[in-house]
């Protein structure tokens, strides 16, 4: 979020917590114990009509499909609560819950007891809803009563304080945008709990908004993020069928920014600068230029075409997501799967950054787009972000994060400033480096990924074609209904660190249904076996369809090839990949605390070893020159200490490649010549290296 554009909404940080980190960790132990005690009822506000007994997620809830005249999705999300994380993914969610996500309200005033979303005089804009958008699904995925009760307070206040007009939320602003986010929260909450208050509140609000929008149209963030509210409008239409909701959908489209037109003839192909944006000047036209080249807006916009295509029925709209990703990759793509945005589109140099809000919003856009379009490449990209860019921008304990991360990140310090428009603290690890939007917004990343692992494939308005889709891979358990029969699926895997995925399919009684398995584009030679029998070969970049009558205990095994691969980037540099993981050379790290921040702290990180290596590998057959070592998956799977896979590769120092002000100069054009002796260096998963080189020059063979 740009400080320039959101200044009027900024509320300064106040720390209520005086405890040291160690004191806090001691308390955490006690809290952890308390949270395991039986909880007889959830903490609900007085007078709430909802009892604890009704607040249970149900794996028997039907999937609600698109109602005519909406176009059908390729796949539908299973009702929230149907997928339970297991293995390393559950561990990762627990790390998140034990870190800032589980405690943000205790140490950051913007979502604390004075929040406007609790009726208080504090921050009343996007930060409360952002926090809940991740806290709520995290609490339910872990079935953690303590975290559920935290989220419930804000939701109860919101549901119980709707104005007679239909407006909801804090009365200190009437901005449509923060309400987009709260609607996202309310739809998830209704699916998780069945709370009967949600649908009437949303219905009343949307009727109010339909009447108000002609007088008070979308502007600023709301204008550029309209597709996020459209999802909630479609969600309600699928439940109530009220025709006015389609009028509202068309009005949002009419008033909202035309992202599909922008990317049909994409003009912002260069690194954007403050001068280009004329940020110091004011005016609606200039503001729109800044908003159209804004990273988070573009991350949210990735889903615009598919979401609108449900209303328009247009194939051009439906596939606009692929065109948008193509253009972003071509002009702003980075090896970690992100496009550069620090805070505006920043070109191809891997020393540019990507904002954490953009990572999690791009993931959400990819999840929604994958469900609507059903294109396997969207799942590939989602995994690339989830397994690299997302964990790469947090400390291992998820108590601190960066605003901007870089693929070639050789220092995180106050004098490091390659950014287009962001401030000096942007790549520090801390509570709210640069600006607090990411502090509030990051929580949605892992929980929504976990709830996207499996989806439902089906024919419109018919259960006859219902089946399951393994959309992205991570260990989990699924409980759902297919054609009236309970189906339980167990996915056991150490993917992305290993290439084997084992599914055990347990229908309550023998049941015929299709199972679709995403075969990533990189997975040439993938093998699928069913109960030990091999099946026809899997086609990379598509979904493998398995049609059969499933019996309890049937086992499906996928084996993905995990040979290291090479990809090409800026100045003909190379990145090393293996499966969905991108690998980096981890630079020695010297962490220096800048300041305490309540329960957490802000950190600078300085390089303790040299980093200017060119790789010396056979690009045509990289696996011959890269040695792979696998170790056990520990308690922090994305940390350097526990990195479950390491690569050893030959390299030479490249003395002319230097840093200025802590920023690696643009990676020299490859191939390069180095007279330095050959060394063997170790690469670890991108996320394990908080200082790193990811895009390397390569030596002339
Ligand atoms: Zn942000």
């Amino acid at each position: 979020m740009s400080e320039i554009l959101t200044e009027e909404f900024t509320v300064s940080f106040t720390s209520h917590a005086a405890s040291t980190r160690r004191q806090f960790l001691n308390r955490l132990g006690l809290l952890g114990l308390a949270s395991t005690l039986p909880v007889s009822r959830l903490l609900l506000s007085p007078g709430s009509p909802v009892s604890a007994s009704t607040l249970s997620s149900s794996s028997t809830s039907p999937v609600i499909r698109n109602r005519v005249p909406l176009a059908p999705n390729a796949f539908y999300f299973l009702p929230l609560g149907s997928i339970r994380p297991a293995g390393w993914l559950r561990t990762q969610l627990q790390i998140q819950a034990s870190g800032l996500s589980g405690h943000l309200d205790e140490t950051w005033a913007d979502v604390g007891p004075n929040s406007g979303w609790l009726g208080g005089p504090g921050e009343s804009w996007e930060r409360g809803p952002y926090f809940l958008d991740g806290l709520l699904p995290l609490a339910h995925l872990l079935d953690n009563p303590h975290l559920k009760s935290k989220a419930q307070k804000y939701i109860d206040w919101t549901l119980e304080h709707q104005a007679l007009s239909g407006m909801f939320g804090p009365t200190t602003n009437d901005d449509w945008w923060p309400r987009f986010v709260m609607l996202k929260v309310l739809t998830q909450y209704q699916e998780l709990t069945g709370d009967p208050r949600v649908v009437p509140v949303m219905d009343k609000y949307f009727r109010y908004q339909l009447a108000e929008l002609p007088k008070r149209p979308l502007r600023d963030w709301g204008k550029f993020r309209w597709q996020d509210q459209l999802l909630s409008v479609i969600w309600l239409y699928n439940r109530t069928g009220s025709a006015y909701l389609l009028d509202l959908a068309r009005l949002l489209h009419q008033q909202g920014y035309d992202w599909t037109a922008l990317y049909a003839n994409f003009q912002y192909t260069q690194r954007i600068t403050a001068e280009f944006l004329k940020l110091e000047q004011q005016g609606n036209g200039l503001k729109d230029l800044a908003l159209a080249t804004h990273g988070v807006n573009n991350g949210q916009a990735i889903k615009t075409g598919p979401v609108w295509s449900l209303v328009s029925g247009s194939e051009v709209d439906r596939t606009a997501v692929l065109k948008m990703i193509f253009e972003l990759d071509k002009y702003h793509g980075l090896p970690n799967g992100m496009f550069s945005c620090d805070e505006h589109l920043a070109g191809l140099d891997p020393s540019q950054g990507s904002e954490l809000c953009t990572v999690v919003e791009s993931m959400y856009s990819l999840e929604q787009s994958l469900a609507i379009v059903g294109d396997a490449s969207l799942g590939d990209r989602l995994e690339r972000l989830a397994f690299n860019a997302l964990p790469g921008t947090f400390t291992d304990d998820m108590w601190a994060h960066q605003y901007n991360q870089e693929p070639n990140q050789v220092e995180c310090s106050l004098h490091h400033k390659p950014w287009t428009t962001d401030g000096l603290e942007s790549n520090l690890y801390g509570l709210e480096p640069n600006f607090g939007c990411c502090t509030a917004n990051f929580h949605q990343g892992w929980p929504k990924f976990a709830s996207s692992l499996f989806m439902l494939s089906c024919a419109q308005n018919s259960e006859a074609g219902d089946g399951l889709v393994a959309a992205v891979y991570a260990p989990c358990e699924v409980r759902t209904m297919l054609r009236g029969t309970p189906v339980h699926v167990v996915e056991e895997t150490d993917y992305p660190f290993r290439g084997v995925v084992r599914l055990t399919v347990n229908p309550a009684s023998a049941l015929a249904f299709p199972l679709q398995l995403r075969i990533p584009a990189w997975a040439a030679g993938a093998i699928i076996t069913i109960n030990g029998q091999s099946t026809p070969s899997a086609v990379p970049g598509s979904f493998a369809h398995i049609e059969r009558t499933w019996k309890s205990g049937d086992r499906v095994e996928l084996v993905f090839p995990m040979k290291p691969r090479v990809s090409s980037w800026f100045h003909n540099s190379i990145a090393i990949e293996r499966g969905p993981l991108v690998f980096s050379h981890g630079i020695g790290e010297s962490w220096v605390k800048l300041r305490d921040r309540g329960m957490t702290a802000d950190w600078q990180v300085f390089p303790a070893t040299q980093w200017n290596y060119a790789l010396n590998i056979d690009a045509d057959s990289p696996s011959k020159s890269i040695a792979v070592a696998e170790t056990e998956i520990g308690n922090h799977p994305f940390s350097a200490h526990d990195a479950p896979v390491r690569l050893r590769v030959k390299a030479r120092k490249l003395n002319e490649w230097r840093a200025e002000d802590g920023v690696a100069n643009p990676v020299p054009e490859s191939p390069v010549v180095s007279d330095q002796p050959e060394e063997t260096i170790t690469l670890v998963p991108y996320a394990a290296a908080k200082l790193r080189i990811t895009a390397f020059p390569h030596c002339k063979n």
Side-chain angles (χ1 to χ4, degrees):
M1 200 66 49
S2 163
E3 281 198 66
I4 294 159
L5 296 167
T6 58
E7 202 171 48
E8 64 190 290
F9 302 108
T10 307
V11 177
S12 62
F13 168 82
T14 314
S15 171
H16 290 303
S19 61
T20 66
R21 179 70 178 279
R22 186 165 295 281
Q23 286 169 327
F24 163 71
L25 289 172
N26 287 337
R27 281 177 52 209
L28 178 64
L30 294 172
L31 280 174
L33 191 62
S35 69
T36 63
L37 296 173
V39 176
S40 58
R41 68 181 297 275
L42 296 176
L43 302 175
L44 299 171
S45 62
S48 163
V50 182
S51 71
S53 61
T54 64
L55 290 181
S56 59
S57 61
S58 170
S59 57
T60 58
S61 303
V63 172
I64 297 184
R65 299 145 212 257
N66 294 345
R67 186 189 282 260
V68 289
L70 298 179
N73 276 21
F75 309 137
Y76 291 90
F77 289 96
L78 297 174
L80 283 180
S82 306
I83 302 171
R84 294 281 168 193
W88 72 258
L89 180 58
R90 184 171 175 80
T91 301
Q92 189 62 40
L93 290 170
Q94 285 169 331
I95 291 170
Q96 180 176 348
S98 299
L100 203 52
S101 288
H103 301 280
L104 187 62
D105 57 321
E106 299 162 33
T107 198
W108 199 50
D110 284 5
V111 298
N114 286 328
S115 165
W117 292 92
L118 291 170
E123 207 272 354
S124 297
W125 196 49
E126 67 186 9
R127 294 187 177 181
Y130 265 162
F131 178 43
L132 295 170
D133 192 26
L135 176 66
L136 176 79
L138 177 69
H140 283 263
L141 283 165
L142 293 174
D143 201 17
N144 181 322
H146 180 59
L147 296 189
K148 285 181 190 175
S149 71
K150 281 193 175 199
Q152 192 71 38
K153 287 184 296 186
Y154 304 82
I155 290 166
D156 282 334
W157 182 86
T158 301
L159 292 173
E160 299 295 325
H161 290 83
Q162 186 169 33
L164 286 175
S165 65
M167 188 61 158
F168 74 91
T171 55
T172 49
N173 74 75
D174 64 358
D175 190 356
W176 302 116
W177 153 244
R179 292 163 175 86
F180 291 8
V181 186
M182 193 49 127
L183 290 163
K184 233 171 126 187
V185 175
L186 293 178
T187 59
Q188 294 175 75
Y189 170 72
Q190 196 281 339
E191 287 187 32
L192 287 163
T193 66
D195 190 325
R197 295 175 296 173
V198 173
V199 167
V201 165
M202 287 178 63
D203 182 67
K204 189 171 179 179
Y205 174 68
F206 285 150
R207 290 176 191 276
Y208 163 78
Q209 193 187 31
L210 180 62
E212 283 294 300
L213 273 176
K215 295 176 271 180
R216 194 162 64 78
L218 296 179
R219 63 177 177 86
D220 303 337
W221 305 110
K223 176 179 170 182
F224 284 79
R225 299 173 175 180
W226 61 278
Q227 66 286 336
D228 278 70
Q229 188 186 316
L230 180 56
L231 276 169
S232 297
V233 173
I234 288 171
W235 183 93
L236 190 65
Y237 177 72
N238 287 337
R239 282 156 180 79
T240 67
S242 298
Y244 83 89
L245 290 167
L246 299 181
D247 295 334
L248 179 58
R250 285 185 278 268
L251 191 54
L252 292 169
H253 174 254
Q254 183 191 322
Q255 294 189 358
Y257 184 73
D258 191 345
W259 288 102
T260 303
L262 174 69
Y263 275 90
N265 181 24
F266 188 55
Q267 303 287 321
Y268 304 126
T269 58
Q270 304 293 321
R271 182 179 186 275
I272 302 296
T273 63
E275 297 73 42
F276 175 75
L277 298 174
K278 299 188 176 65
L279 280 180
E280 62 289 350
Q281 299 177 25
Q282 292 300 313
N284 286 335
L286 293 173
K287 213 170 190 180
D288 275 7
L289 178 62
L291 290 164
T293 55
H294 183 270
V296 186
N297 286 352
N298 276 270
Q300 292 187 233
I302 287 171
K303 62 182 164 302
T304 306
V307 176
W308 174 243
S309 78
L310 299 179
V311 181
S312 73
S314 157
E315 183 65 13
V316 172
D317 289 332
R318 208 175 74 92
T319 56
V321 58
L322 303 176
K323 167 77 168 154
M324 182 166 175
I325 291 172
F326 173 84
E327 298 287 348
L328 284 170
D329 281 348
K330 184 174 177 183
Y331 298 108
H332 305 286
L334 298 175
N336 54 12
M338 280 303 300
F339 56 92
S340 62
C341 51
D342 58 21
E343 136 140 19
H344 293 84
L345 299 175
L348 295 165
D349 183 341
S351 292
Q352 297 296 146
S354 300
E355 182 187 336
L356 175 50
C357 278
T358 314
V359 176
V360 295
E361 292 294 353
S362 296
M363 288 176 63
Y364 179 62
S365 286
L366 289 163
E367 289 153 7
Q368 295 293 333
S369 301
L370 175 58
I372 295 168
V373 180
D375 189 294
S377 71
L378 300 169
D380 292 9
R381 181 57 63 99
L382 174 57
E383 287 186 350
R384 197 173 178 98
L385 298 191
F387 300 146
N388 298 286
L390 178 66
T393 202
F394 291 97
T395 51
D396 297 342
D397 60 5
M398 292 190 77
W399 269 100
H401 69 273
Q402 297 172 292
Y403 191 89
N404 287 334
Q405 63 179 298
E406 305 148 275
N408 285 358
Q409 178 168 280
V410 302
E411 184 174 306
C412 302
S413 76
L414 287 171
H415 69 291
H416 180 109
K417 46 187 174 183
W419 324 120
T420 53
T421 50
D422 280 331
L424 293 179
E425 299 199 6
S426 293
N427 79 343
L428 268 54
Y429 287 84
L431 173 69
E432 51 173 353
N434 191 53
F435 194 71
C437 52
C438 306
T439 311
N441 192 14
F442 78 74
H443 315 273
Q444 66 170 315
W446 280 121
K448 289 183 181 169
F449 177 78
S451 294
S452 305
L453 293 169
F454 276 84
M455 297 185 186
L456 184 89
S457 64
C458 61
Q460 176 79 336
N461 297 323
S462 161
E463 290 189 0
D466 281 7
L468 283 176
V469 182
V472 283
Y473 295 101
C476 68
E477 231 178 308
V478 183
R479 290 179 195 277
T480 190
M481 299 284 281
L482 289 175
R483 304 179 208 181
T485 301
V487 176
H488 172 226
V489 177
V490 180
E491 176 173 352
E492 296 168 288
T493 184
D494 290 328
Y495 187 93
F497 308 106
R498 306 285 192 270
V500 178
V501 176
R502 293 191 182 88
L503 305 178
T504 306
V505 184
N506 300 310
S509 56
L511 183 69
F513 66 88
L515 175 66
Q516 297 190 48
L517 308 168
R518 192 185 110 259
I519 309 300
W522 49 261
I527 296 168
I528 303 172
T529 56
I530 302 172
N531 297 331
Q533 304 284 313
S534 60
T535 64
S537 61
V539 179
S542 73
F543 286 88
H545 286 243
I546 304 171
E547 288 268 3
R548 64 182 268 122
T549 299
W550 299 95
K551 298 185 189 67
S552 186
D554 279 348
R555 290 177 68 85
V556 179
E557 186 172 278
L558 279 140
V559 180
F560 294 123
M562 297 301 266
K563 280 185 180 171
R565 310 182 313 279
V566 169
S567 55
S568 283
W569 302 92
F570 184 63
H571 283 178
N572 204 27
S573 60
I574 57 173
I576 307 298
E577 306 178 20
R578 179 180 186 258
L581 291 177
V582 180
F583 283 75
S584 303
H585 173 56
I587 303 166
E589 298 165 10
S590 173
W591 289 69
V592 179
K593 187 190 283 186
L594 180 64
R595 54 175 95 89
D596 284 314
R597 299 300 303 267
M599 290 173 161
T600 183
D602 293 340
W603 299 86
Q604 298 185 83
V605 193
F606 295 93
T609 58
Q610 292 190 302
W611 51 265
N612 49 343
Y613 287 102
L615 298 187
N616 196 16
I617 63 166
D618 178 354
D620 293 330
S621 187
S623 58
K624 285 184 188 160
S625 42
I626 301 173
V628 179
E630 293 182 339
T631 49
E632 286 296 304
I633 296 174
N635 291 326
H636 290 81
F638 291 103
S639 70
H641 181 262
D642 285 351
V645 54
R646 293 165 199 267
L647 309 181
R648 305 265 290 163
V649 58
K650 298 277 191 289
R652 295 179 193 273
K653 288 258 174 58
L654 192 62
N655 289 333
E656 62 266 35
W657 190 21
R658 304 237 166 93
E660 283 177 40
D661 292 335
V663 183
N665 282 338
V667 52
E669 186 87 37
S670 287
V672 296
V673 176
S674 168
D675 59 3
Q676 297 299 300
E678 188 173 78
E679 303 174 45
T680 300
I681 64 170
T682 300
L683 309 184
V684 294
Y686 174 95
K690 305 311 177 192
L691 293 183
R692 62 177 84 91
I693 293 295
T694 310
F696 294 88
H698 59 91
C699 298
K700 205 166 193 164
N701 282 315

